[in-house]
């Protein structure tokens, strides 16, 4: 297998304000745009030609990655004039593929961090003679996902919407967002309109008697669709819990990029990342968080499981827990922002304006 399609057109609405200025796959995780990790893992699995299906902020991708030669890849870019959904996006880039009708084409979503054995999925596809093979993952609570039951040989039996009752939970196997298509199957997807592979393409193929094969691989898997998940994924990359050849440094408790400045007595733990030209002041304590390029963390700030946007400013002694601070925002000294808060890009919070405890 030498070809892949990477779906990177989503708006990333659940990640806002991180995605106001940056498409979701380009938000840095472990020091580099998240997409870098996916490209590097595809390259390591033997893929050399990747077509990126872009839409939202499409102009950002090519200036950064170019033709892919820096990564040892051949990259092409196709931009949707209107969002076409997962299936529509796949069909929209089909003319850029070089594969023959029976060749395998890897397809993966631009927001999944996974330790999937890509070569094993392709091998499963080829040895079973499947039309489409799906990466399936087992989860403890499958209620938030579409279920994919299989028979004893791994052949897919059905695609079930998110279960609403305990009786509907017939399996803990979910669609994990990576596929291998027989090239000719891609040409059967309708053109010129939005199509969902999950809700339309796969069920229609199953109904027509096509062979859909599921391969369960329950290594690391995380959907980075929410700020909390994105921060966790970045930390797991730094800690070495999630595999990637693209982490710019050794795995450990912290990753400080070369142009960042961190005070000697600042404490960085839990997979914290400090980006290019960011500054962390004296006595600051940062755990499991991502500090993007140019951000300033003043002395004594305490930041946990949070993401600080580009050029944002966090005031002295401010406490952040599970917070997302947008690009260029300014949070004054002595604030307390707790789980779930999102401060929008360029917003300003005056000193001591938000607290969850007394000022004593």
């Amino acid at each position: 297998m030498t070809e892949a399609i990477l779906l990177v057109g989503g708006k990333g609405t659940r990640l806002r304000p991180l995605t106001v200025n940056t498409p979701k796959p380009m938000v840095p995780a472990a020091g580099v745009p998240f997409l870098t990790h996916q490209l590097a893992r595809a390259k390591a699995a033997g893929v050399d030609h990747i077509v990126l299906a872009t839409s939202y902020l499409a102009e950002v991708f090519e200036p950064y990655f170019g033709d892919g030669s820096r990564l040892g890849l051949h990259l092409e870019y196709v931009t949707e004039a209107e969002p076409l959904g997962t299936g529509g996006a796949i069909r929209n880039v089909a003319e850029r593929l070089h594969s023959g009708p029976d060749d395998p084409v890897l397809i993966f979503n631009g927001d999944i961090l996974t330790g999937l054995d890509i070569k094993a999925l392709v091998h499963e596809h080829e040895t079973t003679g499947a039309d489409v093979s799906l990466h399936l993952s087992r989860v403890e609570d499958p209620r938030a996902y579409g279920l994919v039951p299989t028979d004893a040989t791994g052949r897919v039996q059905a695609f079930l919407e998110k279960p609403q009752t305990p009786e509907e939970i017939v399996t803990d196997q979910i669609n994990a967002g990576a596929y291998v298509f027989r090239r000719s199957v891609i040409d059967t997807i309708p053109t010129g309109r939005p199509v969902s592979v999950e809700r339309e393409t796969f069920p229609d193929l199953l109904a027509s008697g096509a062979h859909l094969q599921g391969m369960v691989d329950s290594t690391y898997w995380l959907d980075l669709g929410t700020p909390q998940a994105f921060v966790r994924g970045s930390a797991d990359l730094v800690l070495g819990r999630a595999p990637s050849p693209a982490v710019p440094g050794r795995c450990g408790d912290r990753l400080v990029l070369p142009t960042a400045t961190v005070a000697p007595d600042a404490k960085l733990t839990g997979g914290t990342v400090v980006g290019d030209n960011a500054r962390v002041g004296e006595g600051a304590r940062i755990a499991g968080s991502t500090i993007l390029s140019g951000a300033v963390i003043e002395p004594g700030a305490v930041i946990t499981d949070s993401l600080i946007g580009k050029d944002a400013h966090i005031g002295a002694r401010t406490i952040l827990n599970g917070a997302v601070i947008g690009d260029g925002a300014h949070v004054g000294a002595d604030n307390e922002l707790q789980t779930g808060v999102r401060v929008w890009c360029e917003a300003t919070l005056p000193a001591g304006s938000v607290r969850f405890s007394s000022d004593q």
Side-chain angles (χ1 to χ4, degrees):
M1 181 192 62
T2 60
E3 290 197 293
I5 297 170
L6 186 50
L7 305 175
V8 293
K11 291 184 177 181
T13 52
R14 292 183 297 159
L15 275 177
R16 291 171 76 87
L18 299 179
T19 51
V20 170
N21 303 313
T22 307
K24 177 168 51 176
M26 295 298 288
V27 177
V32 296
F34 174 67
L35 180 56
T36 311
H37 300 290
Q38 292 186 306
L39 294 174
R41 295 199 73 248
K43 168 64 178 174
V47 176
D48 58 24
H49 178 220
I50 300 180
V51 185
L52 276 69
T54 67
S55 180
Y56 177 66
L57 296 176
E59 67 277 7
V60 172
F61 295 94
E62 189 167 3
Y64 186 90
F65 290 106
D67 63 2
S69 57
R70 179 167 52 92
L71 296 172
L73 293 165
H74 173 213
L75 299 182
E76 294 188 68
Y77 307 82
V78 177
T79 301
E80 303 164 18
E82 297 292 335
L84 294 172
T86 48
I90 292 167
R91 183 65 180 87
N92 190 52
V93 307
E95 65 180 21
R96 301 294 186 94
L97 298 173
H98 307 148
S99 303
D102 290 328
D103 290 338
V105 177
L106 174 69
I107 297 168
F108 49 114
N109 289 316
D111 56 1
I112 301 295
L113 177 59
T114 176
L116 168 68
D117 186 336
I118 297 171
K119 290 183 178 180
L121 181 63
V122 176
H123 180 73
E124 178 86 0
H125 177 80
E126 293 177 330
T127 56
T128 60
D131 295 298
V132 179
S133 297
L134 298 86
H135 171 208
L136 306 180
S137 185
R138 289 194 172 100
V139 295
E140 289 187 12
D141 184 358
R143 288 176 297 176
Y145 305 97
L147 308 185
V148 186
T150 56
D151 67 14
T153 68
R155 188 157 181 159
V156 173
Q157 301 297 292
F159 291 89
L160 307 175
E161 288 298 314
K162 298 174 183 178
Q164 303 300 311
T165 66
E167 292 75 24
E168 292 177 313
I169 302 177
V170 298
T171 181
D172 60 356
Q173 297 175 176
I174 66 165
N175 178 355
Y179 321 111
V180 179
F181 273 64
R182 187 190 302 272
R183 170 65 182 86
S184 58
V185 173
I186 294 175
D187 292 331
T188 68
I189 300 174
T191 61
R193 66 172 177 85
V195 180
S196 165
V197 290
E198 300 87 354
R199 295 181 178 84
E200 182 176 345
T201 304
F202 292 157
D204 286 355
L205 284 170
L206 204 60
S208 71
H211 179 177
L212 277 67
Q213 186 74 14
M215 187 192 82
V216 176
D217 182 323
S218 293
T219 53
Y220 187 98
W221 184 86
L222 185 65
D223 177 351
L224 301 185
T226 66
Q228 293 77 16
F230 199 97
V231 171
R232 177 184 156 197
S234 177
D236 284 348
L237 283 162
V238 174
L239 292 166
R241 295 171 180 165
S244 171
V247 176
R250 291 186 298 175
C251 293
D253 239 13
R254 53 189 266 174
L255 174 63
V256 179
L257 271 62
T259 56
T261 303
V262 177
D265 65 344
K267 187 176 183 181
L268 311 179
T269 59
T272 287
V273 181
V274 182
D276 287 319
N277 299 308
R279 291 190 288 119
V280 178
E282 294 83 357
R285 290 182 288 137
I286 308 176
S289 298
T290 295
I291 314 300
L292 296 185
S293 61
V296 175
I297 312 300
E298 293 284 2
V302 179
I303 301 174
T304 306
D305 298 337
S306 297
L307 198 151
I308 313 303
K310 292 183 293 185
D311 300 318
H313 193 112
I314 308 301
R317 298 172 302 280
T318 280
I319 297 172
L320 305 180
N321 184 19
V324 179
I325 311 301
D327 297 343
H330 191 289
V331 178
D334 299 308
N335 279 288
E336 294 178 13
L337 304 182
Q338 296 293 339
T339 301
V341 70
R342 305 184 189 212
V343 177
W344 230 248
C345 300
E346 309 298 333
T348 298
L349 289 182
S353 60
V354 178
R355 298 190 65 84
F356 283 77
S357 62
S358 75
D359 59 354
Q360 298 300 314

